[in-house]
Amino acid sequence: MQIENTKAQLRKGVLELCILSILAKERKYASEIISHLKDAKLIIVEGTLYPLLTRLRSAGYLAYEWEESKNGPPRKYYSITAEGKDFLAELSGSWNELKDAVEQLTNPKN
Amino acid sequence: MNTTINVNLAGQHYYFDQAAKVKLEIYFEEIKSYFTDESFLQELMTDVEARIAELLNDIRLDSNQVITIQHIENVIQIMGEPNSFKIDEEKTQSESETKAIRKLFRDPDDRFLGGVASGVSHYFGLQVSWVRLIWLLLGLFSWGGFSILYIALWIFVPVAKTTSEKFMMKGEPINLSNLEKKIKEEFEEVADQIKNADYQKAKRKLKSKTARFFNAFAAVLVSFANLFLKFLGIIMVIAASLSLLVIFTFMFGIGLHEIFDIYLGNPFWPEIDIMHAEVSVWQTVFVGLIIVAVPVIYVF
């Protein structure tokens, strides 16, 4: 078992939650989402993001619209849907539970 | 001298050199191999293409700069190896291993005319020479009727362009080890071409002036032969259409004569058995036209 692989798996698990949180405030196009995730050191390569975006979109949690760009290809702006917001609330709930559980197990206070 | 290829990514134009194009194609094919859902894949690849176009715009100095393999490697470093696109490790792996779809494609790598016969042979798992023989026999016995079916297949059956399509054509499962094998073959082909080019360059340098003269002479001969073939083709087409016209007119004339025969009772017009002879000439010429026309069209 490779440590890098396990780390990547851990990150992948929370990526969808993070993508939805980034989009909860305002609509963004793929490269902006990427730079947020890169700043937070959540992804190392961009390839990880695209299938997740497509999956969230086909599940109805995200919507997108195309916009022309002056220098470069047209940009695809992603925004969160009402269903996506419900899903995000649910994911955040279970993330908090998980965080507490992991905290409790890895740092026992007594 | 290097060949550059026009590549369109997300509506943007790029000049790629050959190796860069192959590298990017392989990258796309490998990503595609992880997914089975067609509409999902299409959406995903649109995003990936747009992003790669954006990255290439950042990397290149101006819009005329040729994209080389180095640029593509930089892009892949940012995007990640194809396996970073995987979502669910086990699921996609097992799915891609069992995926073996067989579709009818024309084979561009093994073709006599349009690659229809080789495509059909892949589809039914037959030897291509048998399929060609059957086509030929059917074509002869149906008086050219099957040539029309052949042409229809040629028009409507798509040619297998991508690696995945070639796998589908042969009914082989699309998985990573298969893809790798195929990609290596394609790479070696390109490398061989490059090697050949070098070899030919070296060979040319060694050749004396006399040899060069003979080469030029041969080239002139070849181009004359080509010209002659085309000329011959044009003459054949003209001759065939003219004879068709003549025969149509002739038949029309005979038909009229027959009508006259019935209504006016003219005893001088030819008898029915000559009519029969004309009809069979018409058939022969029609079949002949198809047999002549198909290769002639191919020559052009």
Side-chain angles (χ1 to χ4, degrees):
Chain A
M1 195 145 106
Q2 285 178 313
I3 184 108
E4 275 313 312
N5 203 10
T6 314
K7 278 186 188 169
Q9 287 299 314
L10 269 177
R11 274 196 299 265
K12 267 188 186 178
V14 293
L15 262 178
E16 277 169 295
L17 169 64
C18 295
I19 293 167
L20 289 167
S21 313
I22 290 168
L23 292 169
K25 288 159 216 147
E26 54 178 342
R27 59 168 211 156
K28 285 189 162 65
Y29 72 99
S31 310
E32 288 180 296
I33 305 172
I34 284 165
S35 64
H36 276 280
L37 291 170
K38 273 189 175 166
D39 288 347
K41 296 208 170 78
L42 257 176
I43 57 171
I44 298 158
V45 290
E46 301 187 0
T48 325
L49 175 74
Y50 290 97
L52 293 176
L53 280 177
T54 312
R55 190 161 76 169
L56 287 169
R57 216 283 309 151
S58 54
Y61 300 137
L62 293 181
Y64 67 81
E65 49 196 345
W66 286 100
E67 222 157 88
E68 288 298 320
S69 133
K70 273 175 215 152
N71 44 354
R75 289 171 173 176
K76 196 177 184 181
Y77 277 89
Y78 282 96
S79 55
I80 195 163
T81 62
E83 284 168 66
K85 278 182 180 156
D86 293 345
F87 185 61
L88 173 61
E90 213 169 296
L91 275 185
S92 313
S94 48
W95 167 249
N96 284 330
E97 281 170 29
L98 192 66
K99 199 174 65 182
D100 291 344
V102 173
E103 189 78 14
Q104 205 184 324
L105 285 170
T106 50
N107 294 317
K109 285 197 179 102
N110 41 357
Chain B
M1 194 177 75
N2 279 320
T3 321
T4 59
I5 304 151
N6 251 319
V7 175
N8 185 317
L9 282 176
Q12 308 274 298
H13 282 285
Y14 299 92
Y15 299 108
F16 273 54
D17 71 17
Q18 180 141 13
K21 182 174 173 270
V22 171
K23 178 104 187 157
L24 190 61
E25 270 172 358
I26 290 166
Y27 186 63
F28 282 161
E29 288 300 322
E30 275 192 58
I31 292 171
K32 285 181 193 167
S33 75
Y34 289 113
F35 303 95
T36 46
D37 186 337
E38 202 62 42
S39 65
F40 183 94
L41 200 57
Q42 207 181 349
E43 205 177 319
L44 174 72
M45 293 319 284
T46 315
D47 281 16
V48 173
E49 243 189 73
R51 180 58 180 158
I52 288 176
E54 215 170 48
L55 289 171
L56 286 177
N57 281 354
D58 290 346
I59 290 171
R60 66 179 178 178
L61 302 168
D62 63 88
S63 60
N64 288 324
Q65 200 190 358
V66 175
I67 306 296
T68 64
I69 201 151
Q70 187 58 46
H71 293 134
I72 299 299
E73 272 165 7
N74 288 345
V75 165
I76 292 176
Q77 212 168 8
I78 297 168
M79 297 296 287
E81 289 300 318
N83 62 16
S84 53
F85 284 78
K86 264 193 286 188
I87 304 181
D88 305 310
E89 212 101 356
E90 290 96 73
K91 205 176 129 209
T92 44
Q93 193 60 34
S94 62
E95 261 175 19
S96 64
E97 260 167 20
T98 52
K99 186 181 164 192
I101 311 161
R102 203 181 275 266
K103 276 190 185 168
L104 184 58
F105 282 105
R106 288 185 290 117
D107 188 350
D109 303 328
D110 178 15
R111 59 184 226 172
F112 201 78
L113 287 175
V116 173
S118 48
V120 169
S121 73
H122 290 312
Y123 190 74
F124 292 109
L126 297 165
Q127 283 257 305
V128 64
S129 28
W130 284 110
V131 177
R132 287 205 176 113
L133 192 67
I134 291 167
W135 266 122
L136 195 68
L137 291 178
L138 283 176
L140 284 177
F141 283 114
S142 66
W143 289 104
F146 264 89
S147 325
I148 292 166
L149 182 65
Y150 183 94
I151 292 165
L153 284 174
W154 194 348
I155 294 168
F156 292 114
V157 174
V159 64
K161 279 190 222 107
T162 66
T163 314
S164 332
E165 280 172 350
K166 281 178 189 166
F167 275 124
M168 271 191 247
M169 175 179 77
K170 292 177 183 169
E172 286 174 30
I174 305 167
N175 58 31
L176 259 194
S177 58
N178 252 344
L179 266 178
E180 256 171 38
K181 201 179 82 190
K182 182 80 193 166
I183 285 155
K184 267 188 200 140
E185 277 173 24
E186 277 175 17
F187 252 143
E188 272 159 21
E189 220 168 273
V190 173
D192 272 356
Q193 278 171 9
I194 292 163
K195 257 187 236 154
N196 264 340
D198 285 343
Y199 175 65
Q200 273 167 4
K201 220 189 282 171
K203 219 164 71 176
R204 227 172 292 139
K205 272 183 191 159
L206 279 174
K207 275 187 181 161
S208 65
K209 275 183 184 170
T210 25
R212 236 182 270 163
F213 168 76
F214 277 112
N215 258 358
F217 187 65
V220 168
L221 267 186
V222 166
S223 57
F224 262 118
N226 261 331
L227 213 66
F228 178 70
L229 267 181
K230 284 193 179 173
F231 185 65
L232 202 69
I234 292 168
I235 286 189
M236 274 159 130
V237 167
I238 292 172
S241 18
L242 267 183
S243 42
L244 202 61
L245 194 73
V246 165
I247 279 152
F248 266 123
T249 324
F250 196 52
M251 280 186 66
F252 188 63
I254 285 177
L256 272 183
H257 294 162
E258 204 186 22
I259 292 166
F260 275 110
D261 208 0
I262 290 162
Y263 288 109
L264 301 174
N266 192 332
F268 296 108
W269 297 119
E271 291 294 312
I272 286 236
D273 50 324
I274 295 173
M275 272 278 298
H276 274 297
E278 294 312 319
V279 170
S280 74
V281 167
W282 182 83
Q283 277 183 339
T284 322
V285 169
F286 184 66
V287 171
L289 179 69
I290 285 174
I291 291 171
V292 170
V294 171
V296 164
I297 288 165
Y298 187 66
V299 166
F300 288 103

